[in-house]
């Protein structure tokens, strides 16, 4: 008798594997920080950046922000299961116009247990 492993995904990302050996494969997400829009830079008193985390596994990675090395608490979305079996997350950071003008270092970091991945973003990276 040959037993074929089955894998099903339910709802927002609960995965059930039947008959397959569970190997703990951890994949750090790829991180990208999206800069503020030009309109926001001209009209607003604050600046919004977004961190996109793609293709991570499993779903319990968390996103954190650091401004000039100091943690800044912001909410992040729950992991969204993609068709390839990996997860995506996002988080939005709002800083003051003064912080942006000063050219602070913005770090988006994904962490899971003793693992981490990060990307750094600075105002100088924007094409104005």
């Amino acid at each position: 008798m040959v037993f074929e492993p089955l894998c099903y995904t339910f709802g927002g990302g609960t995965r059930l594997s039947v008959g397959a050996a569970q190997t703990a494969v951890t994949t750090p997400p790829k991180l990208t920080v999206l800069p503020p829009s030009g309109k926001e830079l001209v009209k607003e008193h604050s600046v919004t950046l977004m961190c996109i985390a793609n293709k991570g596994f499993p779903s319990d990675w968390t996103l954190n922000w650091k401004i000039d090395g100091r943690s800044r608490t912001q909410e992040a979305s729950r992991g969204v299961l993609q068709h390839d079996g990996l997860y995506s997350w996002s988080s939005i950071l709002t800083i003051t116009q003064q912080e942006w003008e000063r050219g602070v270092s913005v770090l988006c970091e994904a962490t899971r247990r003793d693992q981490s991945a990060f990307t750094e973003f600075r105002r100088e990276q924007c094409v104005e």
Side-chain angles (χ1 to χ4, degrees), residues 5-25:
L6 300 174
C7 185
Y8 296 99
T9 301
F10 301 94
T14 301
R15 177 181 264 185
L16 171 65
S17 294
V18 179
Q22 293 289 33
T23 57
V25 176

Side-chain angles (χ1 to χ4, degrees), residues 53-115:
N54 280 314
K55 300 200 176 287
F57 187 83
S59 65
D60 60 346
W61 286 85
T62 58
L63 294 180
N64 304 294
W65 292 93
K66 289 185 181 177
I67 308 297
D68 285 341
R70 294 187 184 139
S71 292
R72 180 78 60 98
T73 303
Q74 297 290 314
E75 287 191 34
S77 68
R78 292 178 35 195
V80 176
L81 183 63
Q82 304 299 316
H83 294 289
D84 59 6
L86 300 175
Y87 290 85
S88 296
W89 305 259
S90 65
S91 179
I92 295 174
L93 172 70
T94 302
I95 61 174
T96 66
Q97 186 76 27
Q98 292 81 15
E99 287 174 307
W100 179 254
E101 297 289 332
R102 201 171 70 236
V104 295
S105 165
V106 177
L107 188 86
C108 176
E109 181 178 39
T111 57
R112 181 181 185 270
R113 298 183 185 160
D114 62 344
Q115 296 181 314

Side-chain angles (χ1 to χ4, degrees), residues 34-37 40-41 46-50 92-95 100:
L34 302 178
S37 71
E40 183 179 30
L41 292 173
S46 61
V47 173
T48 304
L49 298 110
M50 177 180 273
I92 295 174
L93 172 70
T94 302
I95 61 174
W100 179 254

